[in-house]
Amino acid sequence: MYIVMIASECAPVSKVGGLADVVDGLSCELLRKGHNVEIILPYYDCMNVSLVDNIQSNSVEVSVPFKGKQIACSVHTGIVRGNTCYFVKSHSDEKYFERGNFYGAADDDERFALFSVAAVEFLGKAGKQPDVIHCHDWQTALIPVLLRYKYKNSFLSKTKLCYTIHNIKHQGKVSHKLLDMAGLSLSAFPELDAMADASAPGYMNLMKGGIVYSDYVTTVSPKYATETRTSNLGEGLESVLSAHASKYEGILNGIEYDIWSPEKDHNIPVNYSVDNIEDKYKNKDELRKKLSLRNVFKPILAVVGRLDAQKGVHLIRHSLLYSLNKGMQFVLLGSSPDKEIDEYFHHLKHYLRRNSDCSLSLSYDEELSHLIYAGSDMILIPSLYEPCGLTQLIAMRYGTVPIVRNTGGLSDTVFDIELSQKPQTQRNGFAFEEFSYEAIESVLTRAQFVWNEKPYTFREIMTNAMKSDYSWTLSADRYLGIYSKMLGR
Ligand code: ADP
């Protein structure tokens, strides 16, 4: 099958969060299964070009109709972890992808609309006719609309469209002028109303367009698929998803075992596996050395992730102070684009600077993240909502026990050692329900008690976690099933 992924991120070259890991991981697995996969991405000035093999200096030149003019774009080919990638550079005065950041510009909607049109124009110019185009999140949600209307009778008329929602909170609510810019004026797109946003009068909703006009829609866990269709976690799109329920399902994300495996990870000092778990503790020693934590008989509780309201920042802050008080060590690796949250954690770091039981690294640091996953005893993920979550999957692979709130993908992947109905061998962590200080204190107390007083039970949870299979193998098969269904094969 010939599949083209079009996305705003792909690990490791342009990564902000889980979207990048998924585009990379799913593509690699489809490639391993013998399919032809290509990825179209923006050519950001801030992407890590050194991780692209053989990036070509010569390029395919594409003239992109946008904003009533022709915008010159060049598309450069390179290989990322075996996958052929096409990087779209624009040469207009707006310097769309030369902003020093992936996201956060006032004209993000315009930047990704240009990218969406350019990606489709590039496919035409290069004479490509994929069986499936797979788009991701609001940034590329315009592509299904473009294909249904503007390019209806074109070279892509037989191509099927799969659209994946990674986080429904960010929908791309835009002025209808954006559709005009992309060549979707009322005459070209008579169903303009189908994209109207229900909560913001006068605005269009790109994600809604992606849902309505794709052949199939997925999200990243079964529980989140239900939550987004039936509760306010749908962020206003519940009724749209319900109306399209027959083409909507949740497929759990996997993680790339080539990257995340304690047996062969080059970023950790001592490799280990479920058969020699003791060696994990050599990584704990190294983590302590690296972060100047004292070497005492205490569990290390870690947090790795974006510091965002979604991730439960208040509960993270409360857990930090609570766990230090109760005799645990605490390691945090996170960053926040939100100035207030960022300043808050910098203050906290300063306040705790002489505490040798905790370390706050307020940056994005891929290498350190590997050592934290390997060297910690537990990882905390108290999210308000969580479409899938990758940090619990990665942590489990390294025998680091997850403590999670029962929501979305966390609930589909982490099963409480005491409270779950799953067979004993599948219970791989601790979980709590309420988004409250009381609930988090209670679960931390439980986890610390098991670590201190029931080491054999704790070891059993670690082993169960390491044996849980969250590779891409099964999930990629589910996507292939959807692609085949769309193609009527
Ligand atoms: P989200 O996509 O909501 O940010 P996920 O749990 O799905 O969260 O994915 C987060 C990914 O980003 C994981 O691979 C995690 O290791 C990585 N990550 C998040 N924050 C950092 C950081 N500060 N440094 C290094 N890696 C990070």
Side-chain angles (χ1 to χ4, degrees):
M1 210 179 282
Y2 176 23
I3 302 137
V4 171
M5 299 273 168
I6 308 181
S8 55
E9 294 179 37
C10 180
V13 289
S14 47
K15 171 167 166 178
V16 174
L19 166 62
D21 291 324
V22 174
V23 171
D24 164 62
L26 176 57
S27 303
C28 285
E29 186 64 26
L30 293 170
L31 191 71
R32 281 192 288 266
K33 287 182 186 291
H35 299 279
N36 180 9
V37 188
E38 295 175 338
I39 309 171
I40 308 183
L41 298 160
Y43 198 138
Y44 300 103
D45 59 350
C46 54
M47 74 183 196
N48 196 339
V49 186
S50 67
L51 297 173
V52 184
D53 294 329
N54 292 328
I55 190 141
Q56 305 289 309
S57 49
N58 54 338
S59 53
V60 176
E61 302 308 311
V62 187
S63 176
V64 180
F66 192 73
K67 256 177 143 176
K69 52 189 179 184
Q70 293 297 125
I71 295 192
C73 291
S74 43
V75 181
H76 298 258
T77 308
I79 308 289
V80 178
R81 298 200 335 104
N83 286 301
T84 301
C85 294
Y86 301 107
F87 298 97
V88 177
K89 209 175 221 178
S90 87
H91 299 292
S92 63
D93 294 342
E94 288 89 348
K95 298 194 181 311
Y96 285 116
F97 306 118
E98 293 160 57
R99 307 292 180 81
N101 268 316
F102 299 110
Y103 307 128
D107 62 347
D108 272 1
D109 53 355
E110 194 176 316
R111 297 170 67 215
F112 292 105
L114 176 273
F115 170 63
S116 299
V117 182
V120 180
E121 289 285 336
F122 163 69
L123 289 173
K125 180 87 187 265
K128 293 179 179 293
Q129 291 183 303
D131 296 310
V132 172
I133 292 180
H134 193 154
C135 299
H136 302 264
D137 266 353
W138 74 266
Q139 292 89 343
T140 51
L142 202 51
I143 291 171
V145 192
L146 288 165
L147 252 60
R148 181 67 79 88
Y149 283 93
K150 199 168 164 214
Y151 298 89
K152 194 174 167 187
N153 299 316
S154 74
F155 58 100
L156 292 173
S157 60
K158 291 203 176 72
T159 298
K160 296 293 175 190
L161 232 136
C162 180
Y163 176 63
T164 297
I165 299 170
H166 296 257
N167 190 337
I168 209 165
K169 181 87 178 169
H170 309 289
Q171 299 176 3
K173 298 184 181 187
V174 301
S175 151
H176 65 83
K177 284 188 198 139
L178 190 86
L179 302 191
D180 274 352
M181 288 184 193
L184 290 167
S185 58
L186 200 54
S187 56
F189 179 39
E191 291 180 30
L192 198 66
D193 278 354
M195 273 181 74
D197 187 83
S199 60
Y203 279 79
M204 297 288 121
N205 186 314
L206 296 178
M207 188 170 268
K208 188 176 172 189
I211 295 167
V212 173
Y213 294 109
S214 292
D215 297 292
Y216 215 92
V217 183
T218 69
T219 190
V220 290
S221 69
K223 178 87 184 271
Y224 193 60
T226 308
E227 288 170 342
T228 46
R229 236 177 355 90
T230 57
S231 76
N232 61 4
L233 287 182
E235 297 286 337
L237 290 178
E238 305 83 283
S239 58
V240 182
L241 288 170
S242 290
H244 293 275
S246 61
K247 63 166 189 183
Y248 181 50
E249 76 179 270
I251 299 180
L252 209 53
N253 283 337
I255 50 171
E256 253 301 89
Y257 279 16
D258 274 355
I259 298 173
W260 302 110
S261 280
E263 297 90 342
K264 55 181 178 189
D265 188 336
H266 298 303
N267 289 298
I268 61 173
V270 182
N271 290 116
Y272 61 96
S273 71
V274 71
D275 300 322
N276 63 334
I277 258 179
E278 284 308 322
D279 281 351
K280 176 174 169 65
Y281 296 104
K282 295 181 183 158
N283 293 291
K284 185 171 177 178
D285 292 343
E286 289 301 320
L287 179 64
R288 280 181 165 146
K289 264 189 228 155
K290 175 148 182 118
L291 300 177
S292 308
L293 297 180
R294 62 190 175 131
N295 203 345
V296 283
F297 182 73
K298 286 183 176 192
I300 298 181
L301 175 63
V303 167
V304 177
R306 289 182 298 117
L307 297 172
D308 179 281
Q310 174 203 336
K311 302 289 177 186
V313 271
H314 292 99
L315 295 188
I316 291 173
R317 181 210 54 190
H318 188 75
S319 308
L320 195 168
L321 301 173
Y322 183 81
S323 57
L324 289 178
N325 212 5
K326 295 289 173 187
M328 299 166 92
Q329 292 188 322
F330 197 99
V331 166
L332 181 142
L333 171 61
S335 56
S336 177
D338 182 312
K339 213 166 155 252
E340 216 174 293
I341 297 177
D342 189 54
E343 275 175 12
Y344 176 79
F345 276 91
H346 273 96
H347 279 130
L348 199 57
K349 182 181 165 91
H350 183 72
Y351 170 71
L352 292 164
R353 69 193 176 284
R354 293 205 180 82
N355 189 323
S356 55
D357 279 330
C358 87
S359 158
L360 277 65
S361 306
L362 302 177
S363 60
Y364 187 92
D365 188 336
E366 191 79 30
E367 201 181 321
L368 177 59
S369 77
H370 286 249
L371 183 58
I372 293 178
Y373 288 123
S376 306
D377 295 285
M378 305 172 221
I379 190 160
L380 176 66
I381 310 154
S383 305
L384 185 58
Y385 69 94
E386 193 59 74
C388 176
L390 296 178
T391 55
Q392 83 280 14
L393 305 183
I394 301 170
M396 285 195 276
R397 187 94 180 111
Y398 287 78
T400 297
V401 171
I403 302 174
V404 306
R405 182 155 173 270
N406 240 335
T407 179
L410 297 172
S411 163
D412 283 331
T413 54
V414 177
F415 310 109
D416 191 282
I417 185 67
E418 290 156 7
L419 309 174
S420 168
Q421 304 299 314
K422 292 269 179 192
Q424 195 70 22
T425 52
Q426 290 176 31
R427 300 187 192 177
N428 52 13
F430 295 91
F432 66 102
E433 295 292 332
E434 294 291 319
F435 192 72
S436 68
Y437 291 162
E438 292 74 19
I440 203 143
E441 287 179 11
S442 158
V443 77
L444 288 174
T445 305
R446 265 198 312 130
Q448 190 184 11
F449 176 77
V450 176
W451 188 88
N452 267 322
E453 309 292 336
K454 294 183 165 182
Y456 292 111
T457 307
F458 198 85
R459 178 62 64 94
E460 183 192 340
I461 308 173
M462 290 168 75
T463 309
N464 291 349
M466 288 183 90
K467 286 183 175 167
S468 313
D469 182 359
Y470 292 117
S471 66
W472 268 108
T473 317
L474 290 176
S475 299
D477 281 341
R478 303 268 320 268
Y479 275 106
L480 282 168
I482 287 171
Y483 299 160
S484 298
K485 190 150 97 181
M486 291 191 303
L487 292 162
R489 292 181 184 167

